[in-house]
Amino acid sequence: MSAARLRLGVNVDHIATVRNARGGAVPDPVRGALLAIEAGADGITAHLREDRRHIRDEDIARLMASISKPLNFEMATTDEMVGIALKTKPHAACLVPEKRSERTTEGGLDVIGGHDHVKAATTKLKAAGIRVSLFIEPSVEALEAAVSIGAPVVELHTGSWCEAVTEGSAKAEHEFERIKIAAAKAAELGLECHAGHGLDYATAQRIAALPQIIELNIGHFLMGEALFVGLPEAIATMRKAMDEGRAGA
Ligand code: PXP
């Protein structure tokens, strides 16, 4: 099987985190998004959290008005966020679990316990022409639930794997195997498969070898690198790592 080109979605949330640390208007996540696109991003991802801790409503409006590539709107499955998505009509919406106390999205969406609730939101978003993806744990049960919900796309949560790699834990290979099995199963079930969370150059290169995955969404690591080498160089290095990983597939 010759693998499709792997798309890179750049998450600009943490440009807004730095801006909000001081208040005011800079650094501007929209400027970051435009620069990311110029540097090779295939799309921009932004998560409007319930507490607006990074991206704010006006950032979403400005991103929609300014960027030439698709916006992937990450959102909790709440009435408020569904309403904003229906009004904004981004290219894509990625449904994620959200807890106020977490520092970042912990774990995948509960597509089994929350099946009917997620299905209702998915149906409304799809009817508005928004491509829906579900951010799920890499498990066969979650994939089957995604099919039953009617989502065309899943994003596999790579956080546990990346954390195990960083810690040098023996669990890392087991976690990677879960992702590998889930990516193959997603394709078998007819789901478009994305992945993301906690990826860096090395983990992005490795996961790029899985031919069923067609998009990676990456934020925190790229923004950290950008502090030292600049955003265009960080994105170019990530692109190279992804292309090398895929070429070896
Ligand atoms: N994908 C999803 C669904 C996420 O919630 C996040 C974090 O906002 C990411 C990708 C990006 O994760 P990171 O910032 O760790 O690269």
Side-chain angles (χ1 to χ4, degrees):
M1 167 180 180
S2 84
R5 180 176 179 277
L6 184 57
R7 295 197 302 255
L8 171 61
V10 173
N11 181 316
V12 296
D13 289 352
H14 296 302
I15 300 177
T17 303
V18 176
R19 175 195 62 193
N20 299 354
R22 268 293 174 95
V26 295
D28 179 7
V30 178
R31 182 178 175 193
L34 295 173
L35 196 58
I37 289 168
E38 217 176 286
D42 299 293
I44 297 298
T45 294
H47 184 178
L48 184 67
R49 293 186 73 102
E50 191 191 8
D51 62 7
R52 309 304 198 264
R53 72 173 71 152
H54 36 62
I55 293 294
R56 296 176 178 151
D57 301 62
E58 59 272 23
D59 295 326
I60 294 294
R62 289 171 57 238
L63 283 168
M64 281 297 290
S66 314
I67 64 174
S68 57
K69 296 273 171 146
L71 177 68
N72 176 31
F73 179 66
E74 279 182 13
M75 52 175 274
T77 317
T78 61
D79 290 346
E80 183 200 13
M81 288 301 152
V82 170
I84 292 172
L86 292 178
K87 212 168 72 191
T88 309
K89 292 208 170 46
H91 167 78
C94 179
L95 304 186
V96 302
E98 198 175 299
K99 293 189 221 92
R100 278 205 178 222
S101 56
E102 69 191 359
R103 269 184 299 185
T104 181
T105 313
E106 290 165 3
L109 195 62
D110 180 9
V111 281
I112 297 167
H115 179 280
D116 294 354
H117 179 64
V118 176
K119 185 168 182 163
T122 300
T123 305
K124 281 187 202 156
L125 295 166
K126 276 173 62 183
I130 300 167
R131 192 206 64 192
V132 178
S133 74
L134 305 180
F135 187 48
I136 57 169
E137 287 299 315
S139 82
V140 171
E141 295 76 17
L143 288 162
E144 284 168 347
V147 171
S148 148
I149 284 166
V153 182
V154 289
E155 179 166 328
L156 302 178
H157 196 316
T158 52
S160 301
W161 171 51
C162 293
E163 212 173 283
V165 170
T166 305
E167 288 166 358
S169 156
K171 280 196 322 216
E173 281 315 302
H174 167 72
E175 292 295 340
F176 186 73
E177 201 54 30
R178 288 180 71 212
I179 295 169
K180 190 173 167 181
I181 292 167
K185 184 73 184 175
E188 199 184 301
L189 292 170
L191 293 163
E192 181 172 311
C193 187
H194 301 176
H197 210 283
L199 294 168
D200 61 11
Y201 297 138
T203 45
Q205 178 160 352
R206 178 137 192 235
I207 203 169
L210 302 180
Q212 301 88 357
I213 296 179
I214 69 145
E215 180 174 306
L216 299 180
N217 283 299
I218 309 180
H220 185 263
F221 175 79
L222 279 176
M223 298 310 154
E225 278 294 285
L227 291 175
F228 303 110
V229 303
L231 191 55
E233 188 174 324
I235 289 175
T237 307
M238 183 59 78
R239 185 71 255 171
K240 187 162 174 280
M242 287 164 56
D243 290 343
E244 284 175 3
R246 183 123 293 193

